[in-house]
Every structure is written in C-alpha cells, then in structure tokens.
Amino acid sequence: MNKKFIDIAEQALIVSTIFILFLLLFESKLVVPVWLQPVGRMHPLFLHFPIVLLLLALGMEFFRFNPANNANTFYRTFLTNFWLIGALSAAFTVIMGIFLSKETGYEGETLPWHKWTGIAVFFLAAIGYWCRSMAWYQAPVAKGLALVTTLCVVLAGHYGSVLTHGDNFITGPILKSAPVPLEEAIVFNDVIQPIFEQKCVSCHNPDKLKGELMLTDAKSILKGGKTGKLFVAGQPEISLLLQRIHLPSEDKKHMPPIGKSQLNPQEIALLSLWIKAKADFTKKVIDLPLNDSLRLIASTFLSPVEREEEHFDFSAADEETIQKLITEFRSISPLARESPALAVNFFNKTAFNSEKIKELKEIKEQVVFLNLAKMPVKDADISQITAFENLQKLDLNFTDITGKGLKELTSLKQLKNLSISGTKVTMKDLQAVIPNFKSLNTIVVWNTGLTIEEIRQLQKAHPRIRFIEGFKDDGKNPIKLNPPQVKNKSTVFNEPVLVQLAHPVKGVQIRFTTDGTEPDSVKSAIFTNQTVIKASTNIRAKAYKEGWFGSDEVAFDFFKRTYVPDSVRLLLPLNRVHQAEGAKSFFDQKLGTFNANSPAWANNWAGVRNNDLALMAEFKKPVLLSSVELRIMEETETGIFPPESIEVWGGNSPDQLKKIAVIKPSIPTKYRTHLLQAVGGKFKPQTVSYLKIVAKPLSKMPEWHGGKGKPALLLVDEMFFN
C-alpha cells in the first residue's frame, strides 16, 4: 500500500476507535433510526472479512521475530498492511454489531459475551497495530498478543453462532442423544420439542427473541409471542403456528424464514396432529391409540421397542400360488419385506364361507396373521383355522364364535394375539380356555359381555396377558361428543338434495337449525334424514346424547347452482402457489377448507395476488343469468381478503361482451376470525352465451393491517350462477 492510503486508513482507525468509545459510553440512550438499520443488519455478512484477515495477520505475527522473517522486508510490510486492514474492518464490524443489537429480538446472557469479546478483538487489534513498532514490543509480547487476540476471535465467533444457531450448534452432532425408546417417549419432549430445536429455536431463544417468542420450553410456548398465542389447542386450522408455516415462502411472515432450514411434511403433520390432540405436554406416545396418526408418525422418530428379530423355520410360498389365491374378497401379502410369513385378510361377508379358508391349505404353513373380522365365522369353522400351525395373530372380531370355538383354538401353539371383540364369549368361557394358550400375550375383549370387574379379575389371574377392554360408557365419566359429520358427496347441488348428517357414536341425537340461530338440545329440530333443501342453505348442527357433553357446533354450507358452463378458460394466470385444478376447479363441486393439512386446502383453492382472476365461460345453450357468487376464504391475519370488486360481463359472442354488473363485496375494517363465504350479488336478468368474470384482489391492504399497502391474496374455490 502506498503511504497516502496508509495515512487515510490509520486516520480512519483512530476515528473508528473514538466513535466506538462514544457508542459504548452512550449506548443506553442510543436509538438506531429505520434508515440506518440496514447497516446494522450487514453485521453477519461483513464479520467474516475481519476474521479471515486478523487470523492470517495473527498467525504471521506469531512468527514475525524469527530471524528469516524479521529480515524479510516484504514479510514485515505485508504483515503491517494486513494488520491495519484487519483492525479497520473489525471496527466497522463492531459498529454494525452495536447497531444491530439495538433492534428488538436480541437479548439474553449470550449477547453481552458476543458483544464484549468482539469489542476486545477490535481494541487488541488496534492497540497491537500502534504498539508493534515500539522498542519493548518483542517476540514474547507478539506471541502473547497473537494468542490472546486469536482466543477472543474464536470466543466471539462461538457466541455469535450461539445467537444465530442455538447453544448446541457446534456440539450438537457429537452430543446428539440416541433416539428415545418408544415405550419411554413423551410426545412433546421427544417428538415435538426436537422439531422446535432444529428448525425454530435459533431465532426464538432467550438470546435472540424474535417476535418476543421463545420456543425453548413448555411455559414459553404456552405464553406465545408479540402476535398472540402460538396455537389454539384442538384447532390446528386456526393456530398461528400452522398458519405461518403454510404461508407462501416469499411471504415475510412465513416460518421458518427463507434461508433457514424448512420443516418437512412429516414435521408439519406432527405439529398439526399434536395441536389437534389438545397439545398435551405430558402424554406418552404409547398412551395414544395404536392406530392414532400422531403415534404412527411419532414412532418413526423414535427407537422401536427392542425385541428379538423374528425368524421363521419355514420357507416362502410359491409366488404363483399366492397370486392364484388372491381374489376380490381376499388379500394375501408378506408380513414384512423378504419375509416368508404371510398375512391374509378377508372382505365381503356375503361371499364368505368356510371353504374360502380351506382354499388356503397350500400356504397354511406360511400364514401367521389371519383377519376374519365381521365374517360369518362359526364354531364349526374353527377346525379350518387350526390348520394354520404357525398362526400368531387371529382377528375374530364380531364373528359368531363362542367358548366352544375358543377351546379348539388352544391347539394353536404359536398364537400370540387374539381379538374377539363383539362376540358372545363369556367370563366363564375365558376362565376355562386361557390357561391352555401357551403363547398368548394379548387378547382384545372390548364390546363383549364382560364387565370391567370381570376383565380386571382375568388380568389379575393372568398377568402375562394384556387384556384390551376399550371404552365403556357407564355414564360416570362423561366426555364431549365430537361434532356431527356431513355425508353428502358434495354440498354443491343443482337439483333439490337430501341432507345427510351422521355421527359415529350410536344413539346420538343431532339437533339443527337453518335460520342462522345456534342449535340447542330442547327447541331445535331433531335431524331425521328427511330434510330436503332446494336453495342455498346454512345448516348449523350439534350432537347430544344422555351421559355425554354436547358437541361443539358445526356449520355446513349447501350451495344451489343452476347453471354450469359447457367450457371455461382462464384469461390470466393463477398465483404460483394456488393453482388448484385451473379453470375447471371453479365448477368441480369440491370445496376448500381452512385446515392447512387437508388436501382440500392444497388442491381446491385457486388464488391470485398480482393480477385479476379473469375467467371466460361458454354456454352452448343461452342462459338467463341473474346472479353470480364466488365462494372465497377470508383470513385477515395472513392477508387473505375478499375481492375489491367483481365485474360480470356477458353477451352472445366472446368479442361483443358488455358489462352487466360490478359487485363490490364488504372489506373487513379490522382483524377478525377467518371465515368461508360466498360473495357476489344479483342483477337485472340477462340472456348470455358467453360470460366473463373478473374478480380483482384488494390492491392495497388497509392501514390497520400489518401488510398495509401490499396487495392481498384472493382465494376462490367455486363459482355459482343463479
């Protein structure tokens, strides 16, 4: 470097030192204006430059007084210049860091350590630069300074990584614990919290509190952040956590932000299912039902229960024989990959008889699982079952077997699991036969004639066997009913439709209203599967049963549609994220939902943001049009608004359309609960063969909204004419 440049750099170093001292002295009063914040945010980008320069300079400084190096003019000049540039760039980095630390979201115990070790690096580098030419500065001092400054550089980098990536970023791979055994795992501690730690805690920890949200422990997670509670227990579809995850990646509120490791579909499903299961922080994984989705997915993250690898003494059956025995009422499949053991399932009880079991004699040695649930199996058929000498699991749920048939099953020496739910087996039958089962370890007896007390007696008498009794409604422990379900294939109809509501619990009474009032258990009409609707109707329903708490209210919108176009095409592109099925999705009778984990969310919503939703429809036979409605989603929290306007154009030729109507839906004036609604309106009847709909998304979100001034997202799943 030439002398002039060195002079400028040295003056800049002096000014930077004074400025940093000033910032430190008045730091408590320092407020960084918005226009200066980008300078602070360059800190993570710029800091690698001084680290590299200083480490190289410090390494050279350590060996500076070696005779060969000390006598080398180029070595000494090069080192001096490197040291000066490194110290000056460290000054800029410190200034940027101080600016950045004044923004919200940076606090905690780690920040001061990162800050002061970084400042120490700068002052050591600056002091070292000015002292290097003094007589007392010899090899021991140079080596000591190099070592101390290097240590500060390492510590500053370490504390910086803790701020940005969490306190176990470096040691995480080494200290990573082995998967927790399934039987010991707690859903939150061992499945949910690890997701937060891997994908969220780097920005939501005591040292870096983005959005005033901390995700390091249960208490903080329940508290939520600046924008409110993180989730609504039992309702993932309206929980802020899932809403932010499912925002388009380009949205600034999408979490995790672009550049961070994103959640995979399995992790998103786990978070959703955990919230849906009331976000329990103490429940064990094995306390969930065996077929529960949360348990099934969580189990893949955990170490399975240790058990001996199962070996079979028999060889595999001939593949051609297996394929010959597979029918439309019987499936045969390997128990596991490359295993000779087979599982057989029967379907369609009208096509079943004992001969169908006998037909399996060619593979009787390989069958270890036989499912005959709900088949008309009687005691006389048991002799066909006992031919499967290696049978380990047998499902006889809701069959006609009795204690006599059970007695014959005791000849199956390998039988481990027996399901006899819904049968007429009695306590006396089981007392007589259970001691004769040599390998039995599980027996399912729910919905039999056995009382809870009798099952407990059996469990006490046979502790090696697990008795699964299921839930019995004795009226002493009322639980809340789940809401009624709609069974209509679609709630969009052209002709009068019979409403089909149902409930999975027997004996439930469904009460409903169609006038917009909330249904109750006394005055509201009882649903009898005889309700026919001819016009668009909102049905509100609740389920009631004696001994149970009434369900939450559920609403079903039935939409009447008179006309369906013969062809339809989009005039402008849809948003990249919300393509649905293109133009045909507006007339396919498939409605979208709020639930971001439902296929109806991903596949049924068509959306626009940066251009209009413009569509051309053709009717081969002219229609008399008097109204147009669009079913939309409104979710102000995530910037999904009704359209600013809906233009309706019609005519007998696509080139000669006239504007029939301009409809302006109501725009929300504040944040409100999300809803699905049909927006549109009526107009003077017009006969048309061609119809153009232009729905304009809200061009600028209102001042009260966090995204004020930006275009809103418009989501539409169906259109209704007349």
Side-chain angles (χ1 to χ4, degrees):
M1 278 192 301
N2 60 47
K3 184 70 169 60
K4 184 177 180 181
F5 186 86
I6 292 174
D7 289 342
I8 294 173
E10 288 181 342
Q11 291 173 19
L13 183 59
I14 295 171
V15 172
S16 299
T17 304
I18 296 170
F19 185 56
I20 290 172
L21 289 171
F22 172 81
L23 291 177
L24 294 175
L25 187 62
F26 297 100
E27 186 178 9
S28 60
K29 299 180 181 180
L30 180 64
V31 177
V32 180
V34 175
W35 63 268
L36 198 54
Q37 286 181 3
V39 175
R41 295 188 180 191
M42 290 176 65
H43 174 76
L45 174 68
F46 194 79
L47 62 86
H48 299 93
F49 188 58
I51 289 176
V52 172
L53 292 178
L54 284 176
L55 287 177
L56 182 58
L58 292 168
M60 294 178 68
E61 185 72 8
F62 191 86
F63 299 102
R64 169 188 164 187
F65 287 95
N66 286 3
N69 295 333
N70 201 28
N72 189 324
T73 304
F74 176 80
Y75 187 98
R76 288 186 285 108
T77 304
F78 184 83
L79 172 56
T80 301
N81 293 339
F82 241 54
W83 192 293
L84 176 58
I85 297 172
L88 188 58
S89 59
F92 294 153
T93 305
V94 168
I95 294 169
M96 293 173 182
I98 293 173
F99 286 175
L100 182 61
S101 69
K102 303 310 293 184
E103 292 192 34
T104 57
Y106 290 93
E107 52 191 75
E109 297 178 359
T110 305
L111 180 61
W113 285 100
H114 176 60
K115 168 185 161 185
W116 289 109
T117 51
I119 291 171
V121 168
F122 163 67
F123 279 113
L124 285 170
I127 292 171
Y129 177 77
W130 296 115
C131 295
R132 293 175 69 255
S133 58
M134 295 184 178
W136 55 265
Y137 189 88
Q138 296 299 319
V141 179
K143 291 182 178 181
L145 177 65
L147 290 173
V148 171
T149 308
T150 300
L151 177 63
C152 288
V153 171
V154 172
L155 289 174
H158 167 69
Y159 291 123
S161 72
V162 171
L163 277 174
T164 55
H165 298 288
D167 57 6
N168 65 342
F169 177 66
I170 296 174
T171 59
I174 301 172
L175 302 178
K176 186 177 180 181
S177 57
V180 179
L182 177 62
E183 68 272 22
E184 298 175 10
I186 295 173
V187 177
F188 174 74
N189 291 350
D190 303 309
V191 180
I192 301 302
Q193 184 61 17
I195 297 175
F196 288 144
E197 289 174 354
Q198 293 170 22
K199 304 296 175 70
C200 312
V201 165
S202 63
C203 289
H204 300 286
N205 59 69
D207 301 310
K208 191 177 181 183
L209 209 59
K210 290 293 186 181
E212 299 176 18
L213 174 65
M214 188 159 65
L215 297 175
T216 54
D217 58 87
K219 184 178 179 181
S220 301
I221 290 170
L222 285 169
K223 180 182 177 182
K226 182 171 65 176
T227 52
K229 297 289 185 182
L230 192 62
F231 57 80
V232 179
Q235 301 184 66
E237 66 275 8
I238 63 171
S239 293
L240 183 62
L241 173 64
L242 272 301
Q243 290 175 351
R244 291 293 175 87
I245 290 171
H246 285 285
L247 285 173
S249 58
E250 65 268 18
D251 194 303
K252 71 175 184 178
K253 292 185 177 181
H254 169 81
M255 291 295 155
I258 293 177
K260 296 285 186 178
S261 180
Q262 298 297 301
L263 283 85
N264 60 47
Q266 202 173 33
E267 291 169 334
I268 295 172
L270 279 170
L271 292 174
S272 178
L273 290 167
W274 176 66
I275 294 172
K276 188 175 182 180
K278 302 297 177 65
D280 194 303
F281 285 84
T282 59
K283 181 170 285 189
K284 282 189 170 185
V285 174
I286 59 172
D287 291 337
L288 298 168
L290 285 171
N291 61 346
D292 184 86
S293 298
L294 177 55
R295 174 170 177 164
L296 293 173
I297 302 177
S299 299
T300 65
F301 283 69
L302 303 167
S303 174
V305 179
E306 291 188 8
R307 53 188 172 192
E308 294 182 6
E309 187 177 349
E310 200 159 17
H311 297 282
F312 299 99
D313 297 329
F314 48 83
S315 58
D318 179 65
E319 184 62 31
E320 188 176 333
T321 301
I322 294 173
Q323 293 302 317
K324 180 181 67 176
L325 293 171
I326 295 174
T327 69
E328 70 275 5
F329 56 81
R330 182 174 59 208
S331 69
I332 304 173
S333 57
L335 193 66
R337 188 177 180 181
E338 298 182 1
S339 171
L342 299 175
V344 178
N345 291 273
F346 279 88
F347 315 97
N348 190 355
K349 64 182 180 180
T350 59
F352 177 86
N353 57 55
S354 60
E355 288 298 313
K356 305 302 181 185
I357 304 176
K358 193 174 182 179
E359 290 173 0
L360 299 171
K361 63 181 180 180
E362 294 181 77
I363 58 171
K364 67 178 183 179
E365 187 181 23
Q366 288 81 18
V367 176
V368 298
F369 172 44
L370 182 61
N371 181 7
L372 293 165
K374 299 184 180 180
M375 296 296 109
V377 178
K378 304 184 184 304
D379 291 337
D381 303 321
I382 297 298
S383 60
Q384 305 293 343
I385 297 173
T386 55
F388 302 105
E389 58 197 64
N390 294 312
L391 196 63
Q392 295 185 5
K393 184 175 181 181
L394 177 60
D395 190 337
L396 293 172
N397 291 339
F398 300 97
T399 59
D400 298 323
I401 67 155
T402 66
K404 181 182 177 182
L406 281 184
K407 188 176 180 180
E408 285 194 62
L409 289 174
T410 58
S411 65
L412 292 170
K413 304 304 180 184
Q414 306 297 324
L415 190 63
K416 297 177 181 178
N417 297 276
L418 176 63
S419 296
I420 52 173
S421 299
T423 65
K424 297 178 181 179
V425 173
T426 66
M427 172 73 166
K428 185 178 179 181
D429 296 330
L430 290 174
Q431 284 177 323
V433 301
I434 285 180
N436 299 320
F437 283 105
K438 302 303 180 184
S439 303
L440 197 64
N441 55 38
T442 303
I443 182 166
V444 183
V445 293
W446 63 270
N447 208 21
T448 60
L450 276 70
T451 65
I452 295 176
E453 184 57 37
E454 287 175 334
I455 294 172
R456 287 175 180 168
Q457 289 178 25
L458 288 169
Q459 184 69 77
K460 186 176 181 180
H462 306 282
R464 68 179 178 84
I465 298 176
R466 181 185 175 205
F467 291 84
I468 301 176
E469 59 187 273
F471 172 75
K472 284 185 176 289
D473 180 14
D474 58 5
K476 296 179 181 178
N477 299 290
I479 59 176
K480 191 173 186 177
L481 289 166
N482 53 317
Q485 303 167 357
V486 63
K487 292 297 183 180
N488 294 75
K489 185 177 180 181
S490 173
T491 57
V492 180
F493 62 96
N494 300 329
E495 303 294 334
V497 63
L498 178 68
V499 178
Q500 301 173 39
L501 302 183
H503 199 280
V505 178
K506 291 183 179 180
V508 163
Q509 190 179 78
I510 298 175
R511 298 267 184 169
F512 75 104
T513 63
T514 58
D515 60 0
T517 60
E518 183 178 352
D520 61 34
S521 61
V522 179
K523 297 181 181 179
S524 300
I526 299 174
F527 186 76
T528 60
N529 281 311
Q530 296 179 357
T531 302
V532 176
I533 55 176
K534 301 178 181 179
S536 294
T537 306
N538 174 261
I539 294 179
R540 301 171 68 176
K542 282 186 176 182
Y544 297 95
K545 184 182 180 182
E546 187 176 352
W548 297 62
F549 293 121
S551 74
D552 291 329
E553 179 189 301
V554 64
F556 304 110
D557 287 311
F558 283 79
F559 295 97
K560 171 69 181 296
R561 181 175 60 192
T562 304
Y563 302 126
V564 179
D566 295 295
S567 66
V568 61
R569 61 188 175 90
L570 288 167
L571 303 178
L572 294 171
L574 296 172
N575 184 34
R576 178 179 60 84
V577 181
H578 303 97
Q579 293 283 319
E581 295 296 324
K584 69 178 183 180
S585 63
F586 301 118
F587 305 98
D588 60 4
Q589 297 184 290
K590 296 177 182 178
L591 302 181
T593 69
F594 281 120
N595 186 352
N597 294 300
S598 164
W601 167 278
N603 301 331
N604 296 347
W605 289 109
V608 293
R609 187 194 300 272
N610 299 314
N611 56 263
D612 296 341
L613 175 60
L615 175 142
M616 179 73 78
E618 178 186 0
F619 300 92
K620 292 181 179 179
K621 182 179 179 181
V623 298
L624 186 64
L625 195 70
S626 60
S627 72
V628 169
E629 288 186 320
L630 280 59
R631 185 175 183 266
I632 66 161
M633 176 193 291
E634 179 194 308
E635 194 171 42
T636 53
E637 172 67 28
T638 55
I640 305 173
F641 277 75
E644 195 170 85
S645 66
I646 303 171
E647 295 180 359
V648 183
W649 298 70
N652 295 320
S653 164
D655 301 323
Q656 296 180 344
L657 302 178
K658 66 176 183 178
K659 190 181 291 185
I660 298 174
V662 177
I663 303 162
K664 294 195 174 182
S666 173
I667 303 298
T669 57
K670 61 181 179 179
Y671 286 109
R672 63 186 185 188
T673 305
H674 60 236
L675 66 138
L676 302 176
Q677 59 177 327
V679 297
K682 297 182 179 180
F683 41 81
K684 184 179 178 181
Q686 302 279 335
T687 300
V688 300
S689 294
Y690 291 89
L691 180 68
K692 183 170 76 170
I693 306 294
V694 180
K696 297 180 178 294
L698 192 63
S699 58
K700 292 182 179 180
M701 283 187 273
E703 288 294 317
W704 53 264
H705 195 274
K708 62 181 179 180
K710 296 182 179 180
L713 177 63
L714 170 62
L715 293 182
V716 182
D717 63 354
E718 203 75 8
M719 294 188 183
F720 310 107
F721 303 148
N722 288 17

